[in-house]
């Protein structure tokens, strides 16, 4: 039996419902005329321009124009410190609309929720009312972007983390739509596995807020390593992209071809907060602000990380032949 799905069309920032029947909604994102695709990845950013958010946004605009991006991916923690208070919270425009003003960034933004977003009115960020304020905005818990050359599955990772439920400290999380948690996670994993299994895309990409592997402050997310990673390995996922750790990072999996790419340096960074720099598979780590670009063709993927001045800190390429999966 095939995967039930929602199918939506994004052209390029207008989308329309065309079929309804399943958990994960699917958005069609056209690629360029030559079949290539390029996008930026940013995470952990919404601070009304503070902590170099505006400077990172400026460099994103320059790089977005240079590589002619098709869209932007946000890996979550979109609004600090505690998400949005409501759909009318001025932080939406103060931290998003008024910051990412470059012409090249006036493209679709695909966003997931981070743990800080769940500390506010999480459903506010999912509301179509925000899209009426800024048509670039699209945020759902989990969904799929079919970009022809690539299929990108966005996964709601915050509910996986037990400590947010068992030891929330002084934080109050908005768990509407999540409980019962085990049922929510089981259904989500089933949907992700089904989508990956049926995908014929040249490049398979999964995006979540929390890292599966990281040498940053938070380190590995054991729940994702146990529950999500086996699904990614079994279905030949090329890249897992995340935020959460306020750094830029590239780790190659030692047991598969998966590349773990952290882009969580959109504003406040954690200088010197690092562990296990001798970790196997670690290709790159930077504890300052910045962002990541992704350029895809049928035979090549180029990943690049940039600092707040727009300098390329790390560049990496993966190559594919017809029918092959990625190789360095």
């Amino acid at each position: 039996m095939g995967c039930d799905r929602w199918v939506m069309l994004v052209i390029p920032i207008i989308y329309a419902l065309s079929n309804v029947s399943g958990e994960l909604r699917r958005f069609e994102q056209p690629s360029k005329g030559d079949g290539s695709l390029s996008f930026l990845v940013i995470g952990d950013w919404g601070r009304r321009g503070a902590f170099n958010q505006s400077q990172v946004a400026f460099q994103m605009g320059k790089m977005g124009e240079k590589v002619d991006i098709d869209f932007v991916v946000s890996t979550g923690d979109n609004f600090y410190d505690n998400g949005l208070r409501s759909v009318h919270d001025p932080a939406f425009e103060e931290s998003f609309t008024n910051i990412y003003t470059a012409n090249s960034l006036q493209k679709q933004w695909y966003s997931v929720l981070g743990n800080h977003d769940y500390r506010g009115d999480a459903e506010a960020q999912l509301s179509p009312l925000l899209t009426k304020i800024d048509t670039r905005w699209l945020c759902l818990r989990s969904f799929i972007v079919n970009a022809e050359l690539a299929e990108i599955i966005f996964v709601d990772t915050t509910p996986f983390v037990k400590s947010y439920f068992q030891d929330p400290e002084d934080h109050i999380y908005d768990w509407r739509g999540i409980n019962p948690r085990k049922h929510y996670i089981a259904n989500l994993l089933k949907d992700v596995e089904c989508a990956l299994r049926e995908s014929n895309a040249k490049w398979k990409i999964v995006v979540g807020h929390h890292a599966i592997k990281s040498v940053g402050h938070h380190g590995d997310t054991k729940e994702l390593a146990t529950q999500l990673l086996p699904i990614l390995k079994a279905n030949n996922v090329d890249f897992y992209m995340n935020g959460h750790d306020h750094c830029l990072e590239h780790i190659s999996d030692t047991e598969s071809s998966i590349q773990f790419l952290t882009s969580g340096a959109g504003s406040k960074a954690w200088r010197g907060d690092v562990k296990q720099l001798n970790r196997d598979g670690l290709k790159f780590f930077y504890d300052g602000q910045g962002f990541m670009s992704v350029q895809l063709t049928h035979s090549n993927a180029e990943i690049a990380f940039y600092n707040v001045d727009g300098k390329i800190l790390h560049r990496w390429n993966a190559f594919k032949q017809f029918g092959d999966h990625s190789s360095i």
Side-chain angles (χ1 to χ4, degrees):
M1 182 179 293
C3 300
D4 292 335
R5 60 185 60 165
W6 290 74
V7 181
M8 292 177 132
L9 181 64
V10 181
I11 317 176
I13 58 174
I14 301 173
Y15 48 95
L17 183 62
S18 59
N19 186 39
V20 179
S21 61
E23 291 292 331
L24 294 186
R25 279 174 278 185
R26 181 178 295 262
F27 298 86
E28 302 292 336
Q29 168 68 56
S31 58
K32 296 181 177 65
D34 63 0
S36 66
L37 192 71
S38 58
F39 57 96
L40 302 181
V41 183
I42 186 75
D44 304 81
W45 42 268
R47 297 182 187 270
R48 294 179 169 86
F51 294 98
N52 283 340
Q53 183 193 0
S54 294
Q55 289 86 335
V56 172
F58 176 74
Q59 296 298 338
M60 287 175 63
K62 292 175 64 176
M63 189 51 55
E65 181 178 2
K66 183 176 181 179
V67 304
D68 189 20
I69 62 169
D70 299 288
F71 55 91
V72 178
V73 166
S74 171
T75 59
D77 277 4
N78 306 314
F79 301 98
Y80 283 95
D81 276 334
N82 297 308
L84 295 179
R85 295 192 301 270
S86 72
V87 294
H88 305 295
D89 192 332
F92 177 71
E93 292 179 271
E94 294 168 356
S95 291
F96 177 59
T97 303
N98 299 343
I99 302 298
Y100 301 101
T101 56
N103 288 335
S104 67
L105 303 181
Q106 306 308 304
K107 303 289 179 69
Q108 187 72 56
W109 283 57
Y110 296 108
S111 305
V112 290
L113 297 172
N115 54 299
H116 281 267
D117 298 312
Y118 267 102
R119 295 177 187 174
D121 181 350
E123 294 191 350
Q125 293 193 46
L126 314 179
S127 173
L129 293 176
L130 293 188
T131 306
K132 292 183 179 180
I133 298 173
D134 192 318
T135 55
R136 296 176 293 173
W137 185 256
L138 195 161
C139 181
L140 296 172
R141 297 188 195 277
S142 300
F143 59 100
I144 301 170
V145 172
N146 177 16
E148 300 178 11
L149 185 63
E151 192 151 88
I152 310 173
I153 300 179
F154 292 75
V155 179
D156 184 18
T157 60
T158 300
F160 283 81
V161 182
K162 290 181 181 179
S163 62
Y164 299 146
F165 294 82
Q166 297 177 349
D167 184 23
E169 300 176 338
D170 296 328
H171 306 301
I172 299 174
Y173 291 89
D174 180 5
W175 296 131
R176 288 176 295 170
I178 302 301
N179 289 317
R181 172 176 170 266
K182 289 184 178 180
H183 181 73
Y184 178 84
I185 293 173
N187 283 341
L188 177 52
L189 290 172
K190 179 181 177 181
D191 290 336
V192 170
E193 183 174 23
C194 189
L196 287 172
R197 187 175 64 247
E198 291 201 343
S199 175
N200 294 315
K202 191 73 173 181
W203 301 96
K204 295 182 181 180
I205 301 170
V206 175
V207 175
H209 178 62
H210 295 76
I212 295 178
K213 294 189 178 184
S214 173
V215 299
H217 172 80
H218 294 295
D220 299 357
T221 306
K222 62 181 184 298
E223 294 92 343
L224 296 180
T226 300
Q227 299 177 74
L228 180 61
L229 182 55
I231 295 173
L232 308 190
K233 288 182 176 180
N235 290 280
N236 300 305
V237 167
D238 298 290
F239 308 116
Y240 178 79
M241 302 176 180
N242 62 273
H244 197 46
D245 271 334
H246 294 191
C247 62
L248 303 173
E249 185 176 16
H250 175 196
I251 297 176
S252 292
D253 191 34
T254 57
E255 299 176 352
S256 73
S257 61
I258 300 174
Q259 307 300 313
F260 300 100
L261 306 168
T262 297
S263 182
S267 58
K268 187 176 183 179
W270 297 329
R271 286 287 190 185
D273 197 343
V274 59
K275 60 187 75 170
Q276 211 176 344
L277 277 177
N278 61 344
R279 178 173 186 159
D280 290 344
L282 180 64
K283 302 289 188 183
F284 164 74
F285 176 84
Y286 176 66
D287 57 355
Q289 292 107 340
F291 61 98
M292 179 174 78
S293 70
V294 181
Q295 299 180 73
L296 302 175
T297 68
H298 284 279
S299 59
N300 181 69
E302 180 175 295
I303 309 295
F305 291 90
Y306 309 83
N307 69 6
V308 70
D309 298 316
K311 178 183 177 181
I312 295 178
L313 303 175
H314 175 68
R315 181 187 280 128
W316 182 87
N317 286 269
F319 303 95
K320 286 191 178 186
Q321 296 180 354
F322 182 77
D324 287 347
H325 290 282
S326 58
S327 60
I328 296 174

